[in-house]
Amino acid sequence: MKFSIVFDNYVANEKLKSLWGFSLVINDYFLFDTGSNGRVLERNLIKMGFDINDFKYLFISHPHWDHIGGIDSIVDINRKMSLILPSSLSKLYIRDLKKFSRETLVIENSQKLFGKFYTTGVMEPVGEQSLVIDKEEFGIVITGCAHPGIVNIVKKAINMLNKPVLYAIGGFHLMRSNEEEIFSTINELKNLGVEYVTPTHCSGDKTIEIFKEIYKDNYIPGGVGRIIEF
């Protein structure tokens, strides 16, 4: 799988614009979240060699501004995508987005989407869904902000697939956590079998440093412009 981070408040490529928010592209055709600014997202995508018209799917994790800010820019260019939206998104917004897509899936519960792609379903708080990828022998979890807790999300993915989650990437929402909470989270993830991590966006500077220290070579840095093959 190829993960290209196209929007992030951390920077991997100085030629790209960094603002608060998160978005990544999976295997060149699956867009996960849209960051906080559509014009910036569009320019970053172009600079990274993507054609927005090639995207087949747009997955939105939750309704916060820093993840949905670029939706209008994307669907204004490409109206042939399948939109995978959480039921926590405004019903009026969902109604309008249906006019700009090939199909719109409104997600409430965990389910298989297609192929190797699954959703955890909407989890509280804030009504956030995370993406789960089945890689046959293991799973991968992609989070927007992990408001429900990264450990809870990984546990749900393990139960869904009935196999270990080897890699977690995205916002881990630990930026306001103290060191004890961060170490506890890392210990739980390791006990669950998560061997590789990319904490970025809302994970927090201190969190990232601790993950880097403990996971060592299995810590994979994030940041806009980062391309990860896994």
Side-chain angles (χ1 to χ4, degrees), residues 5 8 10-13 22 167 169 197-201 208 219-228:
I5 300 178
D8 198 350
Y10 290 96
V11 180
N13 184 342
F22 186 66
Y167 179 41
I169 174 175
V197 291
T198 299
T200 191
H201 177 41
I208 290 172
Y219 160 79
I220 304 170
V224 62
R226 181 78 60 191
I227 298 173
I228 300 164

Side-chain angles (χ1 to χ4, degrees), residues 6-9 19-24 31-42 44-45 58-72 74 93 144 201:
V6 294
F7 203 107
D8 198 350
N9 39 282
L19 294 176
W20 185 266
F22 186 66
S23 175
L24 63 76
L31 182 62
F32 179 100
D33 282 349
T34 63
S36 60
N37 185 295
R39 294 171 300 283
V40 169
L41 175 62
E42 184 180 349
N44 284 349
L45 285 165
L58 171 58
F59 182 103
I60 297 297
S61 62
H62 64 295
H64 286 176
W65 64 276
D66 51 339
H67 295 260
I68 67 171
I71 292 179
D72 56 345
I74 297 298
Y93 194 20
H201 177 41

